[in-house]
Amino acid sequence: MNDREQVFVFATKSEMSDFMILRWKEISRESVERKGYFVAALSGGKTPVDFYMKLAGFKEPLPWNKTHIFLIDERFVPFNDEDSNYRMLRKTVLDHVTIPQENIHPISTSTPHPQISARKYEEELKAFFKRSHDPIPEFDLILLGIGEDGHTASLFPNSPALNDVMHLVAEVMLDERGHHRITLTLPVINHANNVIFLVSGQRKAAVVEKIINQKDSSLPTSMVRPTRGKLIFLIDREASLNLSLSNPPHIRNSKQD
Ligand code: 6PG
Protein backbone atom coordinates (compact mmCIF):
# COMPACT_ATOMS: atom_id res chain seq x y z
CA MET A 1 0.00 0.00 0.00
CA ASN A 2 1.18 3.54 -0.65
CA ASP A 3 -0.22 6.84 0.60
CA ARG A 4 -2.89 6.84 -2.13
CA GLU A 5 -4.27 3.54 -0.80
CA GLN A 6 -6.41 3.18 2.30
CA VAL A 7 -8.39 0.48 4.07
CA PHE A 8 -11.27 1.36 6.39
CA VAL A 9 -13.01 -1.23 8.55
CA PHE A 10 -16.55 -0.59 9.82
CA ALA A 11 -18.56 -2.26 12.55
CA THR A 12 -21.54 -2.72 10.22
CA LYS A 13 -22.45 -2.52 6.56
CA SER A 14 -24.74 0.37 7.40
CA GLU A 15 -21.83 2.40 8.83
CA MET A 16 -19.86 1.57 5.71
CA SER A 17 -22.69 2.94 3.55
CA ASP A 18 -22.88 6.13 5.65
CA PHE A 19 -19.17 6.70 5.12
CA MET A 20 -19.59 6.08 1.38
CA ILE A 21 -22.34 8.74 1.28
CA LEU A 22 -19.89 11.28 2.72
CA ARG A 23 -17.28 10.32 0.13
CA TRP A 24 -19.88 10.66 -2.64
CA LYS A 25 -20.84 14.10 -1.35
CA GLU A 26 -17.22 15.24 -1.23
CA ILE A 27 -16.14 13.81 -4.59
CA SER A 28 -19.26 14.98 -6.43
CA ARG A 29 -19.04 18.54 -5.09
CA GLU A 30 -15.30 18.77 -5.68
CA SER A 31 -15.65 17.47 -9.27
CA VAL A 32 -18.47 19.89 -10.09
CA GLU A 33 -16.49 22.81 -8.66
CA ARG A 34 -13.37 21.84 -10.60
CA LYS A 35 -14.82 21.06 -14.04
CA GLY A 36 -18.59 21.55 -13.95
CA TYR A 37 -19.74 17.92 -13.73
CA PHE A 38 -19.28 14.68 -11.80
CA VAL A 39 -19.02 11.30 -13.54
CA ALA A 40 -19.21 7.97 -11.76
CA ALA A 41 -19.34 4.33 -12.84
CA LEU A 42 -21.36 2.06 -10.56
CA SER A 43 -21.35 -1.66 -9.83
CA GLY A 44 -24.09 -4.21 -9.55
CA GLY A 45 -24.14 -6.90 -6.89
CA LYS A 46 -25.86 -6.97 -3.52
CA THR A 47 -23.29 -5.14 -1.39
CA PRO A 48 -23.89 -1.59 -2.67
CA VAL A 49 -27.71 -1.80 -2.50
CA ASP A 50 -27.79 -0.39 1.04
CA PHE A 51 -25.56 2.50 -0.03
CA TYR A 52 -27.66 3.20 -3.15
CA MET A 53 -30.87 3.29 -1.13
CA LYS A 54 -29.34 5.61 1.45
CA LEU A 55 -28.02 7.82 -1.33
CA ALA A 56 -31.54 8.02 -2.77
CA GLY A 57 -32.86 9.19 0.60
CA PHE A 58 -29.98 11.53 1.46
CA LYS A 59 -31.43 14.80 2.64
CA GLU A 60 -28.60 17.20 1.82
CA PRO A 61 -28.53 18.65 -1.70
CA LEU A 62 -26.31 16.77 -4.15
CA PRO A 63 -25.49 18.05 -7.67
CA TRP A 64 -27.66 15.46 -9.45
CA ASN A 65 -28.29 17.68 -12.48
CA LYS A 66 -24.51 17.78 -13.05
CA THR A 67 -23.97 14.09 -12.30
CA HIS A 68 -23.45 11.44 -14.98
CA ILE A 69 -23.83 7.76 -14.15
CA PHE A 70 -22.24 4.98 -16.21
CA LEU A 71 -22.24 1.28 -15.37
CA ILE A 72 -19.13 -0.72 -14.54
CA ASP A 73 -20.63 -3.86 -16.01
CA GLU A 74 -23.85 -5.50 -17.10
CA ARG A 75 -25.28 -8.92 -17.76
CA PHE A 76 -26.44 -9.46 -21.34
CA VAL A 77 -30.09 -9.59 -20.31
CA PRO A 78 -33.03 -7.25 -21.01
CA PHE A 79 -33.37 -4.21 -18.71
CA ASN A 80 -36.44 -5.73 -17.05
CA ASP A 81 -34.61 -8.94 -16.10
CA GLU A 82 -34.00 -9.31 -12.38
CA ASP A 83 -30.27 -9.87 -13.06
CA SER A 84 -29.95 -6.51 -14.86
CA ASN A 85 -27.65 -4.08 -13.05
CA TYR A 86 -29.38 -1.14 -14.70
CA ARG A 87 -32.72 -2.33 -13.33
CA MET A 88 -31.24 -2.59 -9.84
CA LEU A 89 -29.71 0.89 -10.07
CA ARG A 90 -33.01 2.37 -11.24
CA LYS A 91 -34.99 0.73 -8.46
CA THR A 92 -32.56 1.57 -5.66
CA VAL A 93 -31.42 5.07 -6.54
CA LEU A 94 -31.88 6.48 -10.04
CA ASP A 95 -35.69 6.50 -10.00
CA HIS A 96 -35.67 8.41 -6.73
CA VAL A 97 -33.32 11.33 -7.43
CA THR A 98 -33.52 14.36 -9.69
CA ILE A 99 -30.94 13.18 -12.23
CA PRO A 100 -31.84 14.04 -15.86
CA GLN A 101 -32.50 10.94 -17.97
CA GLU A 102 -29.81 11.99 -20.47
CA ASN A 103 -27.21 11.85 -17.68
CA ILE A 104 -27.82 8.11 -17.20
CA HIS A 105 -25.73 5.86 -19.43
CA PRO A 106 -26.86 2.20 -19.28
CA ILE A 107 -25.07 -0.50 -21.27
CA SER A 108 -27.38 -1.43 -24.13
CA THR A 109 -28.24 -5.12 -24.15
CA SER A 110 -30.71 -5.05 -27.01
CA THR A 111 -28.04 -5.74 -29.61
CA PRO A 112 -27.59 -9.16 -31.29
CA HIS A 113 -24.32 -9.93 -29.45
CA PRO A 114 -22.47 -8.83 -26.27
CA GLN A 115 -19.49 -7.82 -28.38
CA ILE A 116 -21.69 -5.35 -30.26
CA SER A 117 -22.93 -3.97 -26.93
CA ALA A 118 -19.33 -3.59 -25.77
CA ARG A 119 -18.32 -1.68 -28.92
CA LYS A 120 -21.43 0.51 -28.66
CA TYR A 121 -20.70 1.38 -25.04
CA GLU A 122 -17.09 2.14 -25.92
CA GLU A 123 -18.33 4.64 -28.53
CA GLU A 124 -20.59 6.21 -25.91
CA LEU A 125 -17.66 6.57 -23.51
CA LYS A 126 -15.48 8.10 -26.22
CA ALA A 127 -18.19 10.58 -27.19
CA PHE A 128 -18.80 11.60 -23.58
CA PHE A 129 -15.15 12.00 -22.62
CA LYS A 130 -13.93 13.53 -25.89
CA ARG A 131 -13.81 16.99 -24.33
CA SER A 132 -10.86 15.92 -22.15
CA HIS A 133 -8.67 14.90 -25.16
CA ASP A 134 -7.44 11.94 -23.14
CA PRO A 135 -7.81 8.59 -24.98
CA ILE A 136 -8.82 6.89 -21.74
CA PRO A 137 -11.90 8.14 -19.85
CA GLU A 138 -11.17 9.75 -16.51
CA PHE A 139 -13.97 8.85 -14.12
CA ASP A 140 -14.19 10.85 -10.91
CA LEU A 141 -15.40 7.75 -9.10
CA ILE A 142 -15.45 4.04 -9.86
CA LEU A 143 -17.35 1.96 -7.32
CA LEU A 144 -16.51 -1.74 -7.27
CA GLY A 145 -17.36 -4.94 -5.41
CA ILE A 146 -15.34 -8.11 -4.89
CA GLY A 147 -16.52 -11.66 -5.59
CA GLU A 148 -15.47 -14.62 -3.44
CA ASP A 149 -13.18 -15.76 -6.28
CA GLY A 150 -11.47 -12.36 -6.38
CA HIS A 151 -13.35 -11.05 -9.43
CA THR A 152 -14.30 -7.43 -9.69
CA ALA A 153 -16.52 -5.72 -12.25
CA SER A 154 -17.01 -8.62 -14.73
CA LEU A 155 -13.29 -9.36 -14.71
CA PHE A 156 -13.05 -12.98 -13.56
CA PRO A 157 -9.87 -14.95 -12.80
CA ASN A 158 -8.18 -16.09 -16.04
CA SER A 159 -10.62 -14.19 -18.24
CA PRO A 160 -9.16 -12.86 -21.53
CA ALA A 161 -10.84 -9.52 -20.71
CA LEU A 162 -8.22 -9.03 -17.98
CA ASN A 163 -5.54 -8.62 -20.63
CA ASP A 164 -7.57 -6.40 -22.93
CA VAL A 165 -5.66 -3.15 -23.10
CA MET A 166 -6.94 -2.26 -26.58
CA HIS A 167 -10.54 -1.65 -25.57
CA LEU A 168 -12.34 0.48 -23.01
CA VAL A 169 -15.15 -2.07 -22.82
CA ALA A 170 -15.00 -5.85 -23.27
CA GLU A 171 -17.45 -8.71 -23.61
CA VAL A 172 -17.17 -11.66 -21.23
CA MET A 173 -18.70 -14.92 -22.32
CA LEU A 174 -20.89 -16.98 -20.00
CA ASP A 175 -20.67 -16.47 -16.26
CA GLU A 176 -21.69 -19.01 -13.61
CA ARG A 177 -25.40 -18.25 -14.12
CA GLY A 178 -25.06 -18.65 -17.85
CA HIS A 179 -25.05 -14.93 -18.68
CA HIS A 180 -22.72 -13.19 -21.07
CA ARG A 181 -21.51 -9.91 -19.68
CA ILE A 182 -20.09 -6.56 -20.73
CA THR A 183 -17.49 -4.81 -18.58
CA LEU A 184 -15.23 -1.79 -18.39
CA THR A 185 -11.61 -2.90 -18.79
CA LEU A 186 -8.67 -2.41 -16.41
CA PRO A 187 -7.17 0.56 -18.30
CA VAL A 188 -10.40 2.51 -17.68
CA ILE A 189 -10.73 1.44 -14.05
CA ASN A 190 -7.10 2.26 -13.33
CA HIS A 191 -7.42 5.71 -14.89
CA ALA A 192 -10.08 6.91 -12.41
CA ASN A 193 -9.50 9.61 -9.81
CA ASN A 194 -11.08 7.52 -7.05
CA VAL A 195 -11.59 3.75 -7.04
CA ILE A 196 -13.59 2.58 -4.06
CA PHE A 197 -14.35 -1.04 -3.16
CA LEU A 198 -17.32 -1.89 -0.91
CA VAL A 199 -16.99 -5.32 0.70
CA SER A 200 -19.34 -6.93 3.17
CA GLY A 201 -19.98 -10.27 4.85
CA GLN A 202 -18.01 -13.20 6.22
CA ARG A 203 -18.04 -15.02 2.88
CA LYS A 204 -15.62 -12.38 1.61
CA ALA A 205 -13.20 -12.69 4.57
CA ALA A 206 -10.84 -15.16 2.87
CA VAL A 207 -10.52 -13.23 -0.39
CA VAL A 208 -10.14 -9.91 1.42
CA GLU A 209 -7.22 -11.39 3.34
CA LYS A 210 -5.62 -12.63 0.11
CA ILE A 211 -5.94 -9.22 -1.50
CA ILE A 212 -4.95 -6.98 1.39
CA ASN A 213 -2.54 -9.05 3.50
CA GLN A 214 -1.09 -11.51 0.96
CA LYS A 215 -1.30 -9.08 -1.98
CA ASP A 216 -2.11 -12.04 -4.24
CA SER A 217 -1.41 -10.47 -7.61
CA SER A 218 -3.14 -13.26 -9.54
CA LEU A 219 -6.60 -12.04 -8.48
CA PRO A 220 -8.43 -9.58 -10.75
CA THR A 221 -9.13 -7.29 -7.78
CA SER A 222 -5.38 -7.00 -7.15
CA MET A 223 -4.91 -5.80 -10.73
CA VAL A 224 -6.87 -2.68 -9.85
CA ARG A 225 -4.07 -0.19 -9.22
CA PRO A 226 -5.04 3.36 -10.16
CA THR A 227 -2.14 5.04 -11.95
CA ARG A 228 -2.63 8.36 -10.18
CA GLY A 229 -6.00 8.17 -8.41
CA LYS A 230 -6.90 6.96 -4.93
CA LEU A 231 -7.66 3.32 -4.08
CA ILE A 232 -9.91 2.84 -1.07
CA PHE A 233 -11.24 -0.39 0.46
CA LEU A 234 -14.32 0.00 2.66
CA ILE A 235 -14.88 -3.27 4.51
CA ASP A 236 -17.34 -4.30 7.17
CA ARG A 237 -16.18 -6.18 10.24
CA GLU A 238 -17.39 -9.58 9.01
CA ALA A 239 -15.42 -9.31 5.79
CA SER A 240 -12.35 -8.17 7.72
CA LEU A 241 -12.30 -11.14 10.11
CA ASN A 242 -9.23 -12.82 8.55
CA LEU A 243 -7.25 -9.62 8.19
CA SER A 244 -4.21 -9.15 10.30
CA LEU A 245 -5.09 -6.06 12.28
CA SER A 246 -1.58 -5.86 13.63
CA ASN A 247 -0.60 -4.11 10.46
CA PRO A 248 -1.43 -0.45 11.01
CA PRO A 249 -1.48 2.24 9.76
CA HIS A 250 -3.49 0.93 6.80
CA ILE A 251 -6.28 -0.59 8.83
CA ARG A 252 -8.35 1.94 10.70
CA ASN A 253 -11.74 2.12 12.21
CA SER A 254 -13.88 4.78 10.57
CA LYS A 255 -14.52 6.28 13.99
CA GLN A 256 -10.82 7.12 14.29
CA ASP A 257 -10.74 9.08 11.06
C1 6PG B 1 -21.99 -7.45 -10.56
C2 6PG B 1 -20.67 -6.85 -10.15
C3 6PG B 1 -19.72 -7.82 -9.49
C4 6PG B 1 -19.99 -7.69 -8.00
C5 6PG B 1 -19.33 -8.78 -7.19
C6 6PG B 1 -19.72 -8.72 -5.73
O1 6PG B 1 -22.63 -6.86 -11.39
O2 6PG B 1 -22.38 -8.46 -9.99
O3 6PG B 1 -20.17 -5.98 -10.95
O4 6PG B 1 -18.37 -7.60 -9.75
O5 6PG B 1 -19.57 -6.44 -7.54
O6 6PG B 1 -19.73 -10.02 -7.71
O7 6PG B 1 -21.09 -8.94 -5.65
P1 6PG B 1 -21.90 -8.87 -4.29
O8 6PG B 1 -21.88 -7.45 -3.86
O9 6PG B 1 -23.28 -9.33 -4.66
O10 6PG B 1 -21.21 -9.77 -3.35
Side-chain angles (χ1 to χ4, degrees):
M1 296 259 163
N2 57 43
D3 59 354
R4 288 186 288 114
E5 303 183 4
Q6 289 178 305
V7 178
F8 293 88
V9 177
F10 301 89
T12 61
K13 187 202 243 189
S14 175
E15 264 194 35
M16 180 173 88
S17 303
D18 292 343
F19 184 85
M20 186 58 223
I21 298 262
L22 299 180
R23 279 289 151 114
W24 181 282
K25 185 172 100 173
E26 248 169 56
I27 299 169
S28 61
R29 288 183 181 170
E30 183 276 322
S31 304
V32 169
E33 266 169 35
R34 183 165 46 85
K35 60 181 181 176
Y37 63 96
F38 163 58
V39 56
L42 302 183
S43 269
K46 296 196 177 60
T47 311
V49 164
D50 183 60
F51 160 63
Y52 293 148
M53 291 172 70
K54 283 187 163 171
L55 187 63
F58 190 55
K59 294 284 176 260
E60 290 180 39
L62 291 171
W64 283 112
N65 60 341
K66 293 182 173 139
T67 295
H68 284 262
I69 302 290
F70 284 80
L71 271 76
I72 301 282
D73 64 341
E74 184 60 283
R75 292 168 187 78
F76 193 64
V77 296
F79 286 159
N80 61 4
D81 190 292
E82 62 175 30
D83 285 334
S84 161
N85 283 346
Y86 179 54
R87 175 177 186 265
M88 182 276 278
L89 281 166
R90 286 223 79 102
K91 282 173 75 109
T92 55
V93 58
L94 299 175
D95 281 349
H96 310 286
V97 295
T98 55
I99 185 168
Q101 180 58 37
E102 62 272 22
N103 292 12
I104 304 175
H105 306 265
I107 298 174
S108 165
T109 53
S110 59
T111 72
H113 194 279
Q115 191 181 36
I116 300 173
S117 292
R119 294 289 71 78
K120 227 177 138 178
Y121 206 50
E122 180 161 288
E123 288 314 311
E124 186 163 348
L125 285 174
K126 284 182 180 164
F128 180 85
F129 286 95
K130 70 174 184 294
R131 56 188 121 171
S132 74
H133 303 293
D134 190 333
I136 305 181
E138 187 180 315
F139 280 95
D140 300 307
L141 171 64
I142 290 220
L143 189 66
L144 294 169
I146 302 178
E148 285 165 62
D149 59 357
H151 80 260
T152 190
S154 289
L155 298 166
F156 293 88
N158 306 317
S159 161
L162 281 170
N163 303 317
D164 191 340
V165 290
M166 300 305 289
H167 294 110
L168 307 177
V169 187
E171 69 282 4
V172 176
M173 304 311 279
L174 286 183
D175 67 12
E176 72 291 349
R177 287 182 68 167
H179 293 317
H180 300 310
R181 296 187 181 211
I182 298 110
T183 185
L184 300 188
T185 55
L186 282 169
V188 179
I189 294 172
N190 284 330
H191 207 59
N193 291 324
N194 296 277
V195 177
I196 304 186
F197 283 95
L198 292 182
V199 201
S200 160
Q202 199 165 353
R203 285 169 40 180
K204 305 288 173 67
V207 75
V208 162
E209 196 276 332
K210 279 190 199 155
I211 293 159
I212 292 176
N213 283 150
Q214 296 182 35
K215 306 188 187 326
D216 182 341
S217 59
S218 67
L219 298 174
T221 298
S222 304
M223 297 176 195
V224 174
R225 284 189 222 103
T227 45
R228 59 213 154 112
K230 289 188 191 145
L231 175 62
I232 301 175
F233 290 90
L234 306 184
I235 302 170
D236 74 0
R237 199 197 318 273
E238 289 189 354
S240 78
L241 283 179
N242 293 13
L243 278 182
S244 149
L245 293 170
S246 60
N247 255 347
H250 311 305
I251 314 261
R252 294 183 282 172
N253 192 298
S254 64
K255 301 267 188 249
Q256 294 163 357
D257 202 46

